[in-house]
Amino acid sequence: MKSKFALKLTMGASAILLAACGTTTTSSSSGTSSSSQGSSASAKNIKVFVIPKQLGNSYFTTADSVKSGGALAAIQQLGATGTETSGSASTPSSQLPVIQSAITQGAKALVVSATDPTALCPTLNSAMAKGIAVVTYDSDAPTCRTLFVNQASTSEIGTSEVDLLAKEIHGQGQIAIVSASASATNQNQWIGYMKQELKKYPKMSLVSIVYGNDNPATATQVTQGLLQQYPNLKGIISPTTVGIAAAAALLDTPQYRGKIALTGLGTPNEMKKYVADGTVQAFELWNPANLGYLAGYAAVLLAQHKITNKEGTTFAAGKLGKYTIGPNHTILLGPPYVFNKANINNFNF
Ligand code: RAM
């Protein structure tokens, strides 16, 4: 497990980084590929746009950057040109113009974490109609993409978060969810499985779901609202790295520490402090850099027509090894990982 999490922090000497106006572009200056599958000649003209839900969210910075070994690293390794671009808010109105602009700029592949599938699908469908490979990662748009690279089993993420919380609060008491945006596919699917899993714990009751929109100030505000409205609250699940960090900061006081349990999905670097002082016992995530790398890798291979999205298709994804496309044109990165006091200091992202 640990080796899957080892982050490669080395950066290829050929990386060209242009950081301006929310856009980072990287390409291979030699045009040669370090992958056995990469044909430099055809990859050279391939432009891949990596479009996370938002920029400025450290989860996506890790998932996408060359430095962390994310999506742009894979694209560069295969000899194609990658650009990370998005808006600053995790909303479709911020993301959609960026997708449209990528199409206009001659994208051959898009790697997208969908803020809102309903709003994005017309544009993503027209991209596919033009022959552009649309790879979703992190947050899917199930009816309008070529391939989805899923970070971990959707059901396992949802159910395991409820189980983690149940263990901490002995299966009893009022709980609430601090989610990202109300339109995010990933959080909504995980919450669906949380509700199912809660049926196993009849003494736990879900009293509220609030939305912090992956904005630290909004997440703080809605969590404050919960604490006021539900004085008997025993636990919070926040399946978003932005939400859990905001909630942890609020619970990090003698009034709440050890009295209201918090779990969900966080990055180790943002959560270390709260795990060390006992505000949080355990939370989950996967390796975001590997998620981005796999999505970037698959996007280039699809754009080169080296693979199709057909179930059963197998390919070697560089440093990550072999992957097979499963049902519903989906690839699964691996299982979620639980971080706690015993292991959190082994991670740096
Ligand atoms: C936030 C975003 C992202 C999600 C992570 C766990 O950064 O909402 O989509 O996967 O949290």
Side-chain angles (χ1 to χ4, degrees):
M1 188 75 230
K2 201 176 156 193
S3 66
K4 273 231 158 196
F5 266 73
L7 284 178
K8 295 208 169 117
L9 292 172
T10 46
M11 187 167 125
S14 60
I16 302 165
L17 291 177
L18 302 172
C21 306
T23 297
T24 301
T25 297
T26 176
S27 60
S28 165
S29 56
S30 65
T32 53
S33 167
S34 59
S35 157
S36 55
Q37 289 183 344
S39 139
S40 50
S42 51
K44 218 175 164 185
N45 300 321
I46 287 175
K47 286 190 200 169
V48 184
F49 287 78
V50 178
I51 309 175
K53 281 180 179 172
Q54 63 184 148
L55 297 179
N57 174 337
S58 63
Y59 166 83
F60 286 115
T61 306
T62 304
D64 299 344
S65 75
V66 173
K67 195 173 159 205
S68 60
L72 294 180
I75 295 163
Q76 179 189 296
Q77 232 175 62
L78 290 170
T81 300
T83 301
E84 188 208 35
T85 174
S86 194
S88 56
S90 184
T91 58
S93 56
S94 171
Q95 192 181 34
L96 194 55
V98 174
I99 298 175
Q100 283 159 344
S101 158
I103 296 167
T104 314
Q105 289 174 62
K108 290 278 186 292
L110 302 172
V111 177
V112 178
S113 171
T115 49
D116 180 342
T118 310
L120 304 188
C121 270
T123 302
L124 295 179
N125 273 327
S126 74
M128 286 196 295
K130 290 189 171 88
I132 299 172
V134 175
V135 175
T136 49
Y137 73 131
D138 179 68
S139 183
D140 196 13
T143 60
C144 55
R145 45 72 174 162
T146 316
L147 187 72
F148 172 45
V149 181
N150 195 359
Q151 44 271 51
S153 139
T154 307
S155 61
E156 201 180 336
I157 296 172
T159 56
S160 60
E161 283 173 37
V162 169
D163 293 340
L164 275 177
L165 187 63
K167 209 171 151 198
E168 291 182 30
I169 66 172
H170 311 292
Q172 274 193 3
Q174 295 184 340
I175 68 154
I177 295 173
V178 177
S179 190
S181 75
S183 63
T185 322
N186 51 347
Q187 273 87 16
N188 286 343
Q189 289 181 337
W190 297 329
I191 291 170
Y193 283 104
M194 286 180 204
K195 287 181 179 165
Q196 270 186 32
E197 187 69 0
L198 275 170
K199 292 187 186 142
K200 284 194 191 158
Y201 303 98
K203 292 187 178 151
M204 271 165 80
S205 62
L206 175 62
V207 291
S208 184
I209 302 176
V210 293
Y211 298 92
N213 298 333
D214 278 346
N215 174 312
T218 313
T220 302
Q221 207 183 341
V222 295
T223 310
Q224 261 161 350
L226 278 178
L227 299 177
Q228 275 157 18
Q229 206 181 337
Y230 300 99
N232 295 322
L233 200 66
K234 289 286 175 292
I236 295 176
I237 299 176
S238 186
T240 136
T241 58
V242 180
I244 198 174
L250 277 178
L251 298 183
D252 191 10
T253 67
Q255 187 191 354
Y256 296 122
R257 198 180 304 119
K259 293 176 192 110
I260 299 183
L262 171 66
T263 192
L265 301 172
T267 67
N269 285 355
E270 286 171 336
M271 299 303 289
K272 264 175 198 163
K273 171 173 182 271
Y274 307 113
V275 170
D277 74 10
T279 304
V280 171
Q281 285 181 31
F283 65 95
E284 294 181 307
L285 201 69
W286 40 89
N287 185 327
N290 286 353
L291 173 67
Y293 183 92
L294 186 54
Y297 212 98
V300 175
L301 297 186
L302 283 167
Q304 287 180 298
H305 303 291
K306 292 199 163 181
I307 59 169
T308 69
N309 67 351
K310 236 178 105 193
E311 184 175 348
T313 302
T314 295
F315 63 97
K319 66 178 180 184
L320 298 181
K322 222 175 188 182
Y323 278 86
T324 303
I325 298 177
N328 305 318
H329 311 299
T330 294
I331 312 179
L332 194 63
L333 179 70
Y337 186 85
V338 179
F339 299 90
N340 55 34
K341 220 175 206 158
N343 63 26
I344 195 163
N345 289 320
N346 298 332
F347 302 94
N348 184 19
F349 63 87

